Amino acid sequence: MRMPFIAGNWKMHKTRQEAVELVSALKSLVAGVTGVEIAVAPPFTALHAVAEVVEGSNIALAAQNCFWESEGAYTGEVSPRMLQEIGCRYVIIGHSERRQYFGETNATVAKRLQAALAHGLRPICCVGETLEEREANQTFAVIETQINEGLQPVAPQQVTELVIAYEPVWAIGTGKTATPAQANEVHGFIRDLLRKRYGERAEEVRIQYGGSVKPENIAALMAESDIDGALVGGASLQADSFARIVQYDKER
Ligand code: PEP
């Protein structure tokens, strides 16, 4: 049985003060919620302050990226060792915005995944096709390459630490959500790829959906067999909407 997992990706939003206000409000709203794992991914500058607020609560801390070396002359980078020490449990890797604007490739995703796992962080590895790729019927080929190349260094005994986020690029921040059936079709395909590489362990890997998730559409998405949670951008920036998503069983 896979524990549902809902994570909020705050992207480049929230000063330290705003982040503390948001996570404090969220903490009150989701106190006592069980049966679903919750995480927030603030920007690096707010991680420490948010870590202090969520300590001992049911909200885990995630970072939005990490480098693959643990230290060295890499100006501007943040290492998995630093994130682990500050209290991060998860790290988002290979988000489509990193691929689109910062030159992230499947090869760099592989290096980051390996480093994160080596430092005890649980990666949320993002995959997804662009609109052009979907329209050219390349969705499955793109996802297969992203999974096979990105997860190349992930050993069988590590794969259950991994979370995959299927985020069709055309649905991120656009208000267009994949239908639950469209999303589940790709989730099932990802699970099959994982089965081929990792056998029965694939059943334990959580696959989140991401792309304009809101309180209004989460319940239908979560009702699908291979959708195990959500990576939420815009709707995680308000405590009440994210708390409603986390408690998706009340939104039916
Ligand atoms: C995301 O940031 O991963 C995301 C899915 O954003 P949004 O929910 O705003 O589409």
Side-chain angles (χ1 to χ4, degrees):
M1 189 63 189
R2 299 182 291 268
M3 169 77 98
F5 179 31
I6 312 273
N9 173 16
W10 295 0
K11 310 193 185 189
M12 198 175 73
H13 292 283
K14 307 294 176 188
T15 63
R16 179 183 174 281
Q17 180 61 33
E18 290 164 350
V20 166
E21 284 166 16
L22 172 56
V23 79
S24 303
L26 179 67
K27 190 167 111 168
S28 310
L29 289 171
V30 302
V33 171
T34 55
V36 53
E37 202 175 345
I38 308 165
V40 293
F44 287 128
T45 47
L47 280 174
H48 181 64
V50 171
E52 288 184 344
V53 178
V54 300
E55 196 178 352
S57 78
N58 58 347
I59 303 173
L61 191 64
Q64 297 178 18
N65 187 25
C66 72
F67 194 51
W68 49 81
E69 298 290 346
S70 51
E71 62 180 359
Y74 304 103
T75 302
E77 292 299 323
V78 174
S79 80
R81 184 165 158 254
M82 294 165 179
L83 296 176
Q84 199 267 341
E85 191 238 14
I86 211 171
C88 288
R89 178 150 172 66
Y90 291 94
V91 58
I92 299 170
I93 302 228
H95 191 280
S96 65
E97 288 152 15
R98 304 281 333 155
R99 295 179 191 256
Q100 192 178 347
Y101 305 126
F102 304 102
E104 190 83 63
T105 63
N106 295 329
T108 57
V109 165
K111 288 165 101 167
R112 291 182 213 277
L113 284 181
Q114 187 172 29
L117 287 165
H119 286 90
L121 291 170
R122 304 191 69 178
I124 301 174
C125 177
C126 302
V127 297
E129 81 287 1
T130 62
L131 185 59
E132 296 71 45
E133 289 163 345
R134 175 161 281 262
E135 287 176 347
N137 286 323
Q138 290 170 351
T139 299
F140 294 119
V142 168
I143 301 287
E144 185 163 4
T145 305
Q146 289 174 335
I147 293 284
N148 287 344
E149 293 184 2
L151 273 57
Q152 193 269 329
V154 178
Q157 65 274 19
Q158 293 177 309
V159 75
T160 52
E161 292 296 298
L162 200 65
V163 176
I164 306 284
Y166 168 57
E167 301 205 304
V169 179
W170 48 271
I172 297 180
T174 59
K176 290 183 198 156
T177 321
T179 64
Q182 258 176 338
N184 200 51
E185 184 186 26
V186 181
H187 282 228
F189 177 73
I190 293 171
R191 181 119 24 232
D192 281 341
L193 292 174
L194 297 174
R195 275 190 200 108
K196 277 187 209 142
R197 287 173 67 94
Y198 300 106
E200 281 185 10
R201 285 186 168 105
E203 309 306 327
E204 289 175 56
V205 178
R206 289 170 303 174
I207 307 176
Q208 296 176 317
Y209 168 77
S212 300
V213 171
K214 306 179 211 53
E216 294 74 26
N217 58 26
I218 184 68
L221 288 161
M222 292 302 289
E224 295 289 336
S225 57
D226 276 300
I227 300 183
D228 306 316
L231 184 55
V232 185
S236 71
L237 296 174
Q238 281 90 37
D240 56 344
S241 63
F242 191 59
R244 283 175 63 196
I245 291 170
V246 164
Q247 297 170 88
Y248 59 88
D249 44 343
K250 293 188 188 159
E251 295 291 327
R252 279 178 224 281

